[in-house]
Amino acid sequence: MLWEKIAADKRARIEASIPQEWRIKTKPTEDSVMNFPKTSGIMSAEELAITESSATDLVALMAAGKLTSVAVTTAFCKRAALAHQLLNCSLEFFPEMALARAKELDEYLQKNGKPIGPLHGLPISLKDQCRIKGLETSMGYVSWIGKYDKENSVLVDMLLKAGAVFYVKTSVPQSLMVCETVNNIIGRTVNPRNKNWSCGGSSGGEGAMVGFRGGIIGVGTDIGGSIRVPSAFNFLYGLRPSHGRLPYGKMANSMEGQETVHSVCGPLTHSIKDMRLFVTSVLAEEPWKYDSKVIPMPWRQAEAEVIKTKLGSGGLTLGFYICDGNVLPHPPILRGVETVVSTMKKAGHTVVEWTPYKHDYAVNLINGIYAGDGGTDIFNTLKESGEPAIPNFKNLINPSLPKVDMNELWDAQLKKWAFQSEYLEQFRLAEEKLGKEIDAIIAPITPTAAIRHNQFKYYGYASAINLLDFTSVVVPVTFADKSVDKKQEGYKPLNDLDKIVQEEYDPEAYHGAPVAVQIIGKRLTEERIMAIAEEIGRLLGNEITP
């Protein structure tokens, strides 16, 4: 069968999974669809209130028997159905399976008088790398359509044990190696705030779904910004934990067996409170007993308390940078970083300039690792169906690039280790000079606010952190404003790529686009960095739940 027919059949099956009564009769013509659920007539006032609540509040209400999982799951299934019809963000939608699970959980609570776990009854959306037994994981590849999973991913099992309900698996770009979301199965996923902007990638379906509140906690993955970029572009919080903190076992992936830079999984949420709920719930299931790569490290509340103590006495010590030396961010991002810096200084914290150490070297090194197999894995998968490659990854994964041999691979791994160690030395030198510990670094996550389609060109703000395997949490800051964020006249670009990125900026086109920063800590500092991100969000007025 031709790949186009296989893809068309898959699209038809996704569409058929949406009940008639949840289907949109007339699609809105406005660029933003954020208010559509309220005017759709499809969702009740109670369902709107449920989907605009926080995960933390919902699990408490369900545990107390004040809300049923069936009611909560129905609300999110409806809003997810609207999300897919408006944003094109789902690869699997299975409301019947979700409602059957919710009913079981409600019955368990009624019978036992207590919840099954900390996520009891809570719907969680999954990126289409997570395997659920009996469902497909196409991951944006036509040749993977029709292959049904025989077992769950480890993270899926952990979340089920904690009481979660699954109802949707969201879209990804073909290959995963793109910070936008487009594939040959369903096409492009768009941003709920403006259909002319990207939702980010590769966890872009999650970004769009959670941003639209068709999901409340979404599971993404990140090898070069794939949790953080969609979080930034959809005004969400996102966690890129260090490798080994959360279980990745039995997930689908491109370039499986590539061990030089690990992809990691983590949540996209509306608040740090909900992020903490997710991470503590997964760690409470002791994932290191199921996935050998997970470090036996339970949630360390004492680490979070270190930050709380500093907040109560003397404040934090933070570094910041506005440019990595490769590409200068657009004016809205520069203002976003400056907003966080000035807010923290005003609150009495010490904020000092950080000089990005050899980020140009890091970006070149990691790009070589991504392309190490000369594109063989990805292009062989495309050949199986005959589908064409999307043009978006041609600069990163190119079949004309030479394959790395084993000695070159070992050399790349040594270079990575040396760079990581040198970066730690930069921390030590800076801390000796200051006479105190640097708690985190404030930095851009992308050079642009939520970007126009097909314009994402530079991954370095995200990927350098992947090479270091540092913990990073995205914090939403503000929105681009054409009256303030004027184009810089007479700017001399740092290089050709910088020139291309600067030329893309148009204050009118980007007006209202989400602006975010990332808060970076050393390896395995999730508890501390989440606590710092929460305080930054609180001071900005963004650490809220409606």
Side-chain angles (χ1 to χ4, degrees):
M1 197 188 294
L2 292 171
W3 73 262
E4 293 96 335
K5 284 190 174 177
I6 296 168
D9 173 68
K10 178 66 177 173
R11 286 194 298 276
R13 286 190 285 131
I14 297 167
E15 193 179 324
S17 67
I18 300 172
Q20 284 293 340
E21 59 272 23
W22 299 352
R23 295 192 187 182
I24 299 168
K25 304 288 183 285
T26 309
K27 287 193 181 176
T29 53
E30 298 88 355
D31 286 340
S32 173
V33 295
M34 291 297 282
N35 289 321
F36 185 81
K38 292 182 180 69
T39 60
S40 66
I42 289 169
M43 299 186 71
S44 69
E46 187 194 20
E47 287 165 345
L48 288 167
I50 285 169
T51 53
E52 285 162 23
S53 183
S54 72
T56 314
D57 287 347
L58 288 175
V59 292
L61 288 166
M62 285 186 283
K66 292 177 182 173
L67 264 182
T68 65
S69 178
V70 165
V72 173
T73 301
T74 300
F76 279 103
C77 282
K78 280 190 177 185
R79 199 151 176 153
L82 297 181
H84 179 64
Q85 292 170 85
L86 296 168
L87 308 171
N88 200 34
C89 56
S90 302
L91 283 169
E92 301 286 325
F93 184 53
F94 39 101
E96 288 175 12
M97 192 168 144
L99 289 165
R101 161 81 170 163
K103 187 167 176 282
E104 281 173 20
L105 290 167
D106 286 340
E107 287 167 358
Y108 178 94
L109 185 73
Q110 204 170 11
K111 185 181 172 185
N112 296 281
K114 61 177 184 179
I116 204 166
L119 299 177
H120 182 100
L122 186 73
I124 288 185
S125 53
L126 302 172
K127 183 179 187 178
D128 195 40
Q129 285 181 262
C130 297
R131 297 188 189 278
I132 297 176
K133 188 178 178 181
L135 297 181
E136 291 168 88
T137 304
S138 64
M139 213 181 76
Y141 284 132
V142 174
S143 63
W144 289 7
I145 294 170
K147 295 178 180 178
Y148 291 85
D149 290 321
K150 293 181 172 62
E151 58 183 343
N152 293 336
S153 298
V154 173
L155 181 60
V156 165
D157 277 336
M158 301 296 98
L159 292 169
L160 286 171
K161 285 186 173 194
V165 175
F166 302 127
Y167 62 111
V168 66
K169 295 211 293 172
T170 56
S171 194
V172 299
Q174 180 198 75
S175 83
L176 302 178
M177 301 305 290
V178 183
C179 279
E180 299 187 49
T181 297
V182 58
N183 58 58
N184 291 322
I185 301 174
I186 63 168
R188 185 182 299 281
T189 304
V190 298
N191 193 303
R193 282 185 166 79
N194 188 324
K195 64 188 178 190
N196 300 304
W197 300 332
S198 171
C199 58
S202 63
S203 311
E206 281 305 311
M209 183 64 79
V210 179
F212 185 75
R213 284 191 173 268
I216 199 158
I217 296 177
V219 174
T221 67
D222 192 313
I223 196 174
S226 290
I227 289 169
R228 290 164 292 157
V229 174
S231 298
F233 285 4
N234 291 282
F235 209 71
L236 300 170
Y237 290 82
L239 169 67
R240 184 253 174 234
S242 292
H243 170 60
R245 198 71 208 269
L246 294 174
Y248 206 99
K250 299 179 184 175
M251 281 197 191
N253 210 352
S254 286
M255 301 184 289
E256 283 189 303
Q258 186 281 110
E259 298 275 311
T260 310
V261 175
H262 292 92
S263 180
V264 297
C265 56
L268 297 80
T269 65
H270 289 277
S271 68
I272 296 294
K273 209 173 185 181
D274 286 357
M275 183 183 286
R276 194 179 290 115
L277 171 69
F278 176 91
V279 175
T280 55
S281 299
V282 173
L283 293 179
E285 297 300 331
E286 302 182 316
W288 47 87
K289 292 181 176 176
Y290 305 86
D291 181 347
S292 63
K293 287 186 179 178
V294 179
I295 299 161
M297 186 186 284
W299 176 263
R300 301 164 297 173
Q301 188 55 31
E303 288 291 296
E305 296 299 331
V306 168
I307 299 305
K308 287 181 183 171
T309 301
K310 288 186 179 187
L311 291 173
S313 60
L316 302 169
T317 304
L318 303 165
F320 80 95
Y321 59 90
I322 60 167
C323 181
D324 67 352
N326 280 344
V327 171
L328 180 74
H330 285 179
I333 301 298
L334 297 175
R335 181 168 61 85
V337 175
E338 178 48 43
T339 299
V340 176
V341 168
S342 59
T343 300
M344 297 311 281
K345 281 182 177 175
K346 193 175 163 189
H349 302 288
T350 302
V351 188
V352 298
E353 281 193 45
W354 176 268
T355 304
Y357 177 74
K358 287 169 61 171
H359 279 222
D360 54 343
Y361 173 84
V363 172
N364 287 335
L365 181 56
I366 199 167
N367 284 352
I369 292 163
Y370 293 150
D373 75 337
T376 299
D377 177 81
I378 289 166
F379 281 91
N380 280 353
T381 306
L382 299 181
K383 272 181 207 163
E384 285 176 33
S385 66
E387 68 169 308
I390 59 167
N392 307 64
F393 63 73
K394 68 172 184 266
N395 293 329
L396 204 60
I397 310 292
N398 191 322
S400 66
L401 292 169
K403 281 190 185 189
V404 169
D405 69 22
M406 189 60 82
N407 293 95
E408 289 168 326
L409 174 64
W410 291 347
D411 187 46
Q413 289 169 346
L414 279 175
K415 284 176 178 171
K416 181 193 79 165
W417 189 10
F419 176 70
Q420 291 172 332
S421 300
E422 287 169 26
Y423 219 95
L424 291 177
E425 185 184 20
Q426 297 304 306
F427 265 97
R428 289 197 309 278
L429 292 170
E431 287 169 345
E432 281 169 23
K433 199 172 166 186
L434 287 165
K436 51 186 171 178
E437 181 182 33
I438 294 172
D439 295 301
I441 295 171
I442 302 157
I445 173 59
T446 58
T448 71
I451 200 163
R452 290 190 282 192
H453 300 308
N454 297 328
Q455 297 308 310
F456 199 102
K457 306 292 184 191
Y458 182 64
Y459 298 78
Y461 281 100
S463 63
I465 309 310
N466 292 84
L467 192 75
L468 290 164
D469 195 27
F470 282 174
T471 299
S472 172
V473 174
V474 164
V475 175
V477 178
T478 186
F479 298 91
D481 183 342
K482 63 185 177 184
S483 66
V484 182
D485 303 318
K486 307 287 188 189
K487 199 173 175 97
Q488 289 193 38
E489 298 302 331
Y491 171 72
K492 288 189 171 57
L494 300 168
N495 49 55
D496 290 345
L497 183 56
D498 188 32
K499 184 173 186 285
I500 292 166
V501 172
Q502 300 313 316
E503 285 172 351
E504 161 55 19
Y505 184 57
D506 176 344
E508 195 72 43
Y510 281 91
H511 182 69
V515 171
V517 297
Q518 61 178 332
I519 310 304
I520 304 162
K522 293 174 198 168
R523 277 194 78 227
L524 300 165
T525 53
E526 288 75 25
E527 294 90 345
R528 291 191 184 207
I529 300 305
M530 284 161 65
I532 294 168
E534 188 167 38
E535 178 65 8
I536 292 171
R538 185 186 73 80
L539 291 170
L540 290 171
N542 293 339
E543 178 52 46
I544 51 170
T545 49

